[in-house]
Amino acid sequence: MSGGDKLDFEIRPNPAPVSAADRAALLANPGFGRVFTDHMVTIRYAEGKGWYDARVEARAPIPMDPASAVLHYAQEIFEGLKAYRTADGAVTMFRPEANAARFVASARRLAMPELPEETFVESLRRIVEIDREWIPEGPDASLYLRPFMFASEVFLGVRPANEYLYCVIASPAGAYFAGGVKPVTVWVSPDYTRAAPGGTGAAKCGGNYAASLAAQAEAIEAGCDQVVFLDAVERRFVDELGGMNVFFVYEDNTLVTPPLTGTILPGITRDAVLSLAAASGHRVEERPVSFADWQADAASGRLREVFACGTAAVITPIGRVRFPDGEFLIGGGEPGRSTMALREQLVAIQRGEAEDPHGWVRRVC
Protein backbone atom coordinates (compact mmCIF):
# COMPACT_ATOMS: atom_id res chain seq x y z
CA MET A 1 0.00 0.00 0.00
CA SER A 2 1.43 3.37 -0.94
CA GLY A 3 1.71 6.13 1.61
CA GLY A 4 -0.72 8.82 0.56
CA ASP A 5 -3.47 10.85 2.18
CA LYS A 6 -6.09 8.30 1.05
CA LEU A 7 -5.56 4.90 2.65
CA ASP A 8 -7.52 1.72 2.05
CA PHE A 9 -8.03 -0.29 5.22
CA GLU A 10 -7.41 -4.02 5.02
CA ILE A 11 -9.96 -5.84 7.18
CA ARG A 12 -8.70 -8.91 9.03
CA PRO A 13 -11.53 -10.06 11.32
CA ASN A 14 -10.52 -11.61 14.63
CA PRO A 15 -10.61 -15.40 14.06
CA ALA A 16 -11.43 -16.02 17.73
CA PRO A 17 -13.70 -13.21 18.96
CA VAL A 18 -15.20 -13.19 22.43
CA SER A 19 -18.42 -15.19 22.47
CA ALA A 20 -21.75 -13.38 22.68
CA ALA A 21 -22.39 -14.83 26.15
CA ASP A 22 -18.97 -13.81 27.49
CA ARG A 23 -19.32 -10.37 25.91
CA ALA A 24 -22.69 -9.85 27.58
CA ALA A 25 -21.18 -10.78 30.94
CA LEU A 26 -18.36 -8.28 30.46
CA LEU A 27 -20.75 -5.52 29.37
CA ALA A 28 -22.91 -5.98 32.47
CA ASN A 29 -20.35 -4.03 34.49
CA PRO A 30 -17.44 -2.91 32.30
CA GLY A 31 -16.14 -0.14 34.54
CA PHE A 32 -13.73 2.14 32.71
CA GLY A 33 -10.63 1.17 30.77
CA ARG A 34 -10.46 -2.46 31.85
CA VAL A 35 -12.45 -4.33 29.18
CA PHE A 36 -11.45 -4.19 25.51
CA THR A 37 -13.07 -5.13 22.22
CA ASP A 38 -12.01 -7.79 19.70
CA HIS A 39 -10.21 -5.53 17.23
CA MET A 40 -7.78 -2.67 16.84
CA VAL A 41 -6.66 -0.38 14.03
CA THR A 42 -3.00 -0.06 13.05
CA ILE A 43 -1.32 2.23 10.50
CA ARG A 44 2.42 2.52 9.98
CA TYR A 45 4.60 5.45 8.97
CA ALA A 46 8.12 5.57 7.57
CA GLU A 47 10.16 8.59 6.56
CA GLY A 48 10.19 8.82 2.77
CA LYS A 49 7.24 6.43 2.44
CA GLY A 50 4.51 8.13 4.42
CA TRP A 51 1.51 6.39 5.94
CA TYR A 52 0.94 2.82 4.83
CA ASP A 53 -0.37 -0.64 5.81
CA ALA A 54 -3.69 0.46 7.32
CA ARG A 55 -5.43 -2.48 8.97
CA VAL A 56 -8.36 -3.45 11.12
CA GLU A 57 -7.19 -6.60 12.85
CA ALA A 58 -7.49 -8.70 15.99
CA ARG A 59 -6.48 -6.86 19.14
CA ALA A 60 -3.14 -8.31 20.21
CA PRO A 61 0.12 -7.37 21.96
CA ILE A 62 2.42 -5.08 19.99
CA PRO A 63 5.89 -6.56 19.36
CA MET A 64 8.47 -4.02 20.49
CA ASP A 65 12.25 -3.94 20.39
CA PRO A 66 13.94 -2.82 23.65
CA ALA A 67 15.56 0.01 21.68
CA SER A 68 12.27 1.35 20.31
CA ALA A 69 12.55 5.14 20.42
CA VAL A 70 9.36 5.70 22.45
CA LEU A 71 10.81 3.77 25.39
CA HIS A 72 13.75 6.14 25.64
CA TYR A 73 12.62 9.53 24.33
CA ALA A 74 8.86 9.42 24.92
CA GLN A 75 7.59 10.45 21.50
CA GLU A 76 3.96 9.50 22.10
CA ILE A 77 0.57 11.18 21.79
CA PHE A 78 -3.02 10.04 22.23
CA GLU A 79 -6.66 11.06 22.14
CA GLY A 80 -9.87 9.98 23.85
CA LEU A 81 -13.48 10.17 22.70
CA LYS A 82 -16.67 8.12 22.85
CA ALA A 83 -19.15 6.35 20.59
CA TYR A 84 -22.78 6.04 21.71
CA ARG A 85 -25.70 3.79 20.92
CA THR A 86 -28.78 5.92 20.25
CA ALA A 87 -32.41 5.11 20.96
CA ASP A 88 -33.09 4.34 17.28
CA GLY A 89 -30.23 1.82 17.12
CA ALA A 90 -27.69 4.03 15.39
CA VAL A 91 -24.13 4.62 16.60
CA THR A 92 -22.72 8.12 16.88
CA MET A 93 -19.50 9.89 17.87
CA PHE A 94 -19.13 13.34 19.42
CA ARG A 95 -16.91 15.82 17.55
CA PRO A 96 -14.32 13.38 16.13
CA GLU A 97 -13.05 16.10 13.79
CA ALA A 98 -12.04 18.18 16.82
CA ASN A 99 -10.05 15.25 18.20
CA ALA A 100 -8.45 14.77 14.79
CA ALA A 101 -7.33 18.41 14.70
CA ARG A 102 -5.93 18.21 18.23
CA PHE A 103 -4.09 14.99 17.35
CA VAL A 104 -2.41 16.85 14.49
CA ALA A 105 -1.46 19.72 16.81
CA SER A 106 -0.01 17.30 19.37
CA ALA A 107 1.99 15.52 16.67
CA ARG A 108 3.41 18.82 15.46
CA ARG A 109 4.53 19.77 18.99
CA LEU A 110 6.18 16.36 19.56
CA ALA A 111 7.95 16.46 16.14
CA MET A 112 5.90 13.52 14.87
CA PRO A 113 4.27 12.99 11.46
CA GLU A 114 0.77 14.41 11.10
CA LEU A 115 -1.91 11.82 10.41
CA PRO A 116 -4.44 13.28 7.92
CA GLU A 117 -7.59 14.25 9.79
CA GLU A 118 -9.85 12.30 7.44
CA THR A 119 -7.76 9.15 8.05
CA PHE A 120 -8.02 9.66 11.80
CA VAL A 121 -11.82 9.91 11.63
CA GLU A 122 -12.06 6.95 9.26
CA SER A 123 -9.97 4.80 11.62
CA LEU A 124 -12.48 5.52 14.38
CA ARG A 125 -15.41 4.67 12.13
CA ARG A 126 -13.79 1.39 11.15
CA ILE A 127 -13.28 0.08 14.68
CA VAL A 128 -16.74 1.20 15.81
CA GLU A 129 -18.31 -0.48 12.80
CA ILE A 130 -16.62 -3.84 13.36
CA ASP A 131 -17.02 -3.81 17.17
CA ARG A 132 -20.42 -2.14 17.48
CA GLU A 133 -21.79 -5.11 19.47
CA TRP A 134 -19.38 -4.07 22.25
CA ILE A 135 -21.21 -0.79 22.85
CA PRO A 136 -23.06 -1.29 26.15
CA GLU A 137 -26.69 -0.31 26.60
CA GLY A 138 -27.75 2.19 29.21
CA PRO A 139 -28.13 5.94 29.70
CA ASP A 140 -24.50 6.52 30.74
CA ALA A 141 -22.84 3.76 28.71
CA SER A 142 -20.49 4.28 25.79
CA LEU A 143 -17.60 2.84 23.83
CA TYR A 144 -14.44 4.71 24.74
CA LEU A 145 -12.05 5.11 21.80
CA ARG A 146 -8.31 5.53 22.36
CA PRO A 147 -6.28 6.52 19.28
CA PHE A 148 -2.55 6.80 19.95
CA MET A 149 0.76 7.03 18.12
CA PHE A 150 4.32 6.35 19.17
CA ALA A 151 7.86 6.29 17.79
CA SER A 152 8.58 2.69 16.78
CA GLU A 153 11.98 3.11 15.13
CA VAL A 154 14.73 1.03 16.73
CA PHE A 155 17.53 3.45 17.58
CA LEU A 156 19.22 5.28 20.43
CA GLY A 157 19.74 8.94 19.70
CA VAL A 158 18.05 12.23 20.51
CA ARG A 159 16.22 13.14 17.31
CA PRO A 160 12.72 12.65 15.90
CA ALA A 161 12.16 9.04 14.93
CA ASN A 162 11.79 7.95 11.32
CA GLU A 163 9.15 5.27 11.98
CA TYR A 164 5.84 5.40 13.87
CA LEU A 165 2.87 3.22 14.68
CA TYR A 166 -0.65 4.61 14.96
CA CYS A 167 -3.28 2.48 16.71
CA VAL A 168 -6.87 2.66 17.88
CA ILE A 169 -8.23 0.44 20.62
CA ALA A 170 -11.75 0.50 22.09
CA SER A 171 -13.08 -0.09 25.58
CA PRO A 172 -16.74 -0.34 26.66
CA ALA A 173 -17.49 2.01 29.54
CA GLY A 174 -20.31 2.07 32.04
CA ALA A 175 -21.55 4.96 34.16
CA TYR A 176 -18.64 7.07 35.40
CA PHE A 177 -20.55 8.00 38.56
CA ALA A 178 -22.13 4.90 40.10
CA GLY A 179 -25.18 6.05 42.01
CA GLY A 180 -25.34 9.50 40.43
CA VAL A 181 -23.11 12.56 40.03
CA LYS A 182 -21.33 13.51 43.24
CA PRO A 183 -19.16 16.57 43.95
CA VAL A 184 -15.46 15.79 44.22
CA THR A 185 -12.81 17.11 46.58
CA VAL A 186 -9.69 18.59 44.97
CA TRP A 187 -6.19 19.24 46.25
CA VAL A 188 -4.29 22.39 45.25
CA SER A 189 -0.69 21.28 44.85
CA PRO A 190 1.82 23.54 46.61
CA ASP A 191 4.91 21.95 45.06
CA TYR A 192 4.14 20.44 41.67
CA THR A 193 3.24 22.13 38.39
CA ARG A 194 1.80 20.48 35.30
CA ALA A 195 3.35 22.52 32.48
CA ALA A 196 5.39 25.63 31.79
CA PRO A 197 5.23 28.20 28.97
CA GLY A 198 6.95 26.78 25.91
CA GLY A 199 6.46 23.21 27.12
CA THR A 200 4.02 20.50 26.06
CA GLY A 201 1.02 21.53 28.17
CA ALA A 202 -1.21 22.05 25.13
CA ALA A 203 -0.30 18.65 23.63
CA LYS A 204 -2.04 15.45 24.65
CA CYS A 205 1.06 13.39 25.34
CA GLY A 206 1.69 10.71 27.93
CA GLY A 207 4.57 12.63 29.51
CA ASN A 208 2.20 15.30 30.81
CA TYR A 209 0.18 12.67 32.63
CA ALA A 210 3.24 10.85 33.96
CA ALA A 211 4.46 14.13 35.43
CA SER A 212 1.12 14.60 37.21
CA LEU A 213 1.10 11.26 39.02
CA ALA A 214 3.20 12.28 42.02
CA ALA A 215 0.88 15.23 42.60
CA GLN A 216 -2.17 12.99 42.16
CA ALA A 217 -0.75 10.59 44.75
CA GLU A 218 -0.31 13.57 47.09
CA ALA A 219 -3.95 14.51 46.50
CA ILE A 220 -5.17 11.01 47.33
CA GLU A 221 -3.06 10.98 50.49
CA ALA A 222 -4.82 14.21 51.49
CA GLY A 223 -8.21 12.53 51.01
CA CYS A 224 -8.93 14.19 47.67
CA ASP A 225 -10.12 12.89 44.31
CA GLN A 226 -8.08 15.08 41.99
CA VAL A 227 -5.19 17.52 41.97
CA VAL A 228 -5.38 21.16 40.84
CA PHE A 229 -2.25 22.67 39.33
CA LEU A 230 -1.24 26.31 39.56
CA ASP A 231 0.82 28.11 36.93
CA ALA A 232 4.53 27.31 36.79
CA VAL A 233 5.74 30.92 36.69
CA GLU A 234 4.04 32.71 39.60
CA ARG A 235 2.38 29.75 41.35
CA ARG A 236 -0.73 31.94 41.69
CA PHE A 237 -3.12 31.18 38.86
CA VAL A 238 -5.22 28.07 38.31
CA ASP A 239 -4.21 26.04 35.25
CA GLU A 240 -6.21 22.81 35.21
CA LEU A 241 -6.75 19.54 37.04
CA GLY A 242 -4.66 16.44 36.45
CA GLY A 243 -6.86 15.39 33.55
CA MET A 244 -9.66 17.97 33.24
CA ASN A 245 -10.27 21.64 32.53
CA VAL A 246 -11.88 23.78 35.24
CA PHE A 247 -14.74 26.33 35.22
CA PHE A 248 -15.97 28.90 37.76
CA VAL A 249 -19.59 30.11 37.94
CA TYR A 250 -20.29 33.43 39.69
CA GLU A 251 -23.41 34.95 41.23
CA ASP A 252 -23.92 37.33 38.26
CA ASN A 253 -24.21 34.31 35.90
CA THR A 254 -20.67 34.74 34.58
CA LEU A 255 -18.82 31.55 33.68
CA VAL A 256 -15.01 31.79 33.70
CA THR A 257 -12.28 29.38 32.66
CA PRO A 258 -8.50 29.92 32.44
CA PRO A 259 -7.32 30.97 28.97
CA LEU A 260 -5.43 28.73 26.57
CA THR A 261 -1.93 30.18 26.78
CA GLY A 262 0.01 27.05 25.86
CA THR A 263 0.11 25.39 29.28
CA ILE A 264 -3.47 24.08 29.29
CA LEU A 265 -4.89 21.28 27.15
CA PRO A 266 -7.55 22.68 24.78
CA GLY A 267 -10.29 20.29 25.84
CA ILE A 268 -12.99 19.25 23.36
CA THR A 269 -15.52 19.22 26.22
CA ARG A 270 -14.19 22.59 27.42
CA ASP A 271 -14.89 24.12 24.03
CA ALA A 272 -18.39 22.61 23.95
CA VAL A 273 -19.17 23.95 27.42
CA LEU A 274 -18.13 27.46 26.38
CA SER A 275 -20.54 27.34 23.43
CA LEU A 276 -23.44 25.86 25.40
CA ALA A 277 -22.99 28.26 28.31
CA ALA A 278 -23.00 31.31 26.04
CA ALA A 279 -26.12 30.05 24.26
CA SER A 280 -27.91 29.46 27.58
CA GLY A 281 -27.42 33.02 28.78
CA HIS A 282 -24.14 32.91 30.69
CA ARG A 283 -21.60 35.63 30.18
CA VAL A 284 -18.52 33.64 29.23
CA GLU A 285 -14.95 34.77 29.98
CA GLU A 286 -11.57 33.19 29.41
CA ARG A 287 -9.26 34.87 31.90
CA PRO A 288 -6.80 33.99 34.67
CA VAL A 289 -8.23 33.05 38.07
CA SER A 290 -5.87 33.17 41.04
CA PHE A 291 -6.12 30.69 43.86
CA ALA A 292 -6.38 33.60 46.31
CA ASP A 293 -9.41 34.94 44.45
CA TRP A 294 -10.93 31.45 44.26
CA GLN A 295 -10.75 31.17 48.04
CA ALA A 296 -11.94 34.72 48.73
CA ASP A 297 -14.85 34.55 46.27
CA ALA A 298 -15.99 31.21 47.70
CA ALA A 299 -15.95 32.70 51.22
CA SER A 300 -17.93 35.78 50.17
CA GLY A 301 -20.52 33.78 48.22
CA ARG A 302 -19.68 35.56 44.98
CA LEU A 303 -18.45 32.26 43.56
CA ARG A 304 -21.41 29.88 43.44
CA GLU A 305 -20.15 26.81 41.55
CA VAL A 306 -16.95 25.20 40.28
CA PHE A 307 -16.76 22.22 37.97
CA ALA A 308 -14.25 20.24 35.94
CA CYS A 309 -14.86 18.78 32.49
CA GLY A 310 -13.33 16.16 30.25
CA THR A 311 -14.19 13.21 28.03
CA ALA A 312 -14.46 10.50 30.69
CA ALA A 313 -16.76 12.17 33.24
CA VAL A 314 -18.14 14.95 30.94
CA ILE A 315 -18.80 17.47 33.76
CA THR A 316 -17.87 16.93 37.41
CA PRO A 317 -18.95 19.33 40.19
CA ILE A 318 -16.24 20.38 42.66
CA GLY A 319 -17.57 20.66 46.20
CA ARG A 320 -14.53 20.97 48.46
CA VAL A 321 -11.04 22.42 47.99
CA ARG A 322 -8.11 21.42 50.18
CA PHE A 323 -4.60 22.86 50.41
CA PRO A 324 -1.77 22.61 52.98
CA ASP A 325 -3.18 25.39 55.19
CA GLY A 326 -6.84 24.39 55.21
CA GLU A 327 -9.91 23.81 53.08
CA PHE A 328 -13.12 25.50 51.94
CA LEU A 329 -16.46 24.56 50.39
CA ILE A 330 -18.02 25.67 47.12
CA GLY A 331 -21.75 26.38 47.32
CA GLY A 332 -22.16 24.30 50.44
CA GLY A 333 -20.48 21.32 48.80
CA GLU A 334 -23.51 20.39 46.67
CA PRO A 335 -23.77 20.24 42.85
CA GLY A 336 -24.71 23.63 41.44
CA ARG A 337 -27.74 24.30 39.24
CA SER A 338 -25.74 25.64 36.29
CA THR A 339 -23.26 22.77 36.53
CA MET A 340 -25.94 20.11 36.38
CA ALA A 341 -27.95 21.89 33.68
CA LEU A 342 -24.90 22.13 31.43
CA ARG A 343 -24.02 18.50 32.12
CA GLU A 344 -27.52 17.26 31.30
CA GLN A 345 -27.64 19.31 28.10
CA LEU A 346 -24.23 18.15 26.92
CA VAL A 347 -24.90 14.48 27.70
CA ALA A 348 -28.23 14.65 25.86
CA ILE A 349 -26.56 16.14 22.77
CA GLN A 350 -23.77 13.55 22.85
CA ARG A 351 -26.31 10.73 22.96
CA GLY A 352 -28.51 12.17 20.21
CA GLU A 353 -31.37 12.88 22.64
CA ALA A 354 -31.41 16.67 22.24
CA GLU A 355 -31.13 19.23 19.47
CA ASP A 356 -27.59 19.53 18.11
CA PRO A 357 -27.42 23.14 16.87
CA HIS A 358 -23.64 23.04 16.38
CA GLY A 359 -23.58 19.83 14.33
CA TRP A 360 -21.29 18.08 16.79
CA VAL A 361 -22.72 14.56 16.55
CA ARG A 362 -21.54 12.27 13.74
CA ARG A 363 -23.49 9.16 12.76
CA VAL A 364 -21.10 6.23 12.34
CA CYS A 365 -23.34 3.30 11.43
Side-chain angles (χ1 to χ4, degrees), residues 261-275:
T261 58
T263 63
I264 294 174
L265 184 71
I268 310 302
T269 307
R270 174 190 183 275
D271 183 68
V273 168
L274 287 171
S275 296

Side-chain angles (χ1 to χ4, degrees), residues 38-355:
D38 290 311
H39 297 86
M40 66 182 186
V41 171
T42 58
I43 310 176
R44 297 188 177 275
Y45 177 92
E47 187 70 24
K49 186 175 184 178
W51 295 102
Y52 69 101
D53 199 13
R55 301 179 186 176
V56 179
E57 58 189 345
R59 184 181 178 276
I62 299 171
M64 183 175 290
D65 190 282
S68 295
V70 66
L71 300 177
H72 304 271
Y73 309 110
Q75 268 190 298
E76 181 273 345
I77 58 174
F78 69 97
E79 276 297 326
L81 66 159
K82 293 177 179 178
Y84 304 88
R85 192 187 299 275
T86 64
D88 63 359
V91 177
T92 62
M93 290 187 292
F94 182 72
R95 305 189 69 189
E97 296 87 356
N99 290 92
R102 190 170 65 181
F103 198 73
V104 167
S106 294
R108 188 177 301 127
R109 178 61 184 86
L110 272 291
M112 302 171 76
E114 299 174 17
L115 183 72
E117 293 181 22
E118 61 270 24
T119 302
F120 179 96
V121 175
E122 179 65 8
S123 72
L124 302 176
R125 190 188 71 80
R126 292 282 185 165
I127 194 168
V128 171
E129 187 176 56
I130 199 168
D131 281 338
R132 67 176 296 166
E133 296 304 318
W134 281 93
I135 304 175
E137 307 240 359
D140 294 315
S142 63
L143 184 67
Y144 181 77
L145 306 174
R146 171 52 63 87
F148 62 100
M149 177 170 63
F150 64 88
S152 57
E153 183 184 1
V154 178
F155 85 103
L156 297 179
V158 183
R159 62 162 172 79
N162 291 322
E163 297 175 7
Y164 296 85
L165 180 64
Y166 168 81
C167 302
V168 186
I169 56 176
S171 176
Y176 192 88
F177 295 102
V181 179
K182 300 179 179 65
V184 298
T185 300
V186 297
W187 171 257
V188 180
S189 176
D191 301 313
Y192 298 102
T193 60
R194 177 184 173 274
T200 60
K204 197 166 179 67
C205 59
N208 291 343
Y209 294 82
S212 74
L213 296 180
Q216 180 63 26
E218 183 181 70
I220 292 172
E221 187 176 346
C224 300
D225 303 288
Q226 265 281 356
V227 61
V228 176
F229 290 105
L230 302 180
D231 75 286
V233 178
E234 299 186 53
R235 305 290 183 93
R236 291 178 53 212
F237 298 101
V238 177
D239 260 8
E240 63 175 278
L241 277 68
M244 293 182 280
N245 298 116
V246 63
F247 282 83
F248 303 85
V249 184
Y250 294 87
E251 61 180 356
D252 62 356
N253 213 32
T254 300
L255 184 144
V256 177
T257 194
L260 300 178
T261 58
T263 63
I264 294 174
L265 184 71
I268 310 302
T269 307
R270 174 190 183 275
D271 183 68
V273 168
L274 287 171
S275 296
L276 293 178
S280 64
H282 288 278
R283 185 173 68 191
V284 174
E285 297 180 3
E286 296 181 69
R287 63 170 173 81
V289 176
S290 72
F291 177 58
D293 285 344
W294 183 0
Q295 187 174 4
D297 291 341
S300 70
R302 179 171 175 262
L303 178 66
R304 296 295 177 83
E305 307 172 38
V306 181
F307 64 86
C309 67
T311 298
V314 187
I315 289 178
T316 305
I318 295 173
R320 185 182 301 269
V321 182
R322 287 181 179 159
F323 53 103
D325 296 329
E327 64 177 52
F328 58 92
L329 291 176
I330 307 294
E334 296 299 321
R337 182 181 305 172
S338 295
T339 298
M340 297 310 294
L342 285 168
R343 186 180 196 280
E344 290 169 8
Q345 184 181 11
L346 183 53
V347 168
I349 291 173
Q350 289 176 335
R351 304 193 66 83
E353 298 167 354
E355 184 182 356

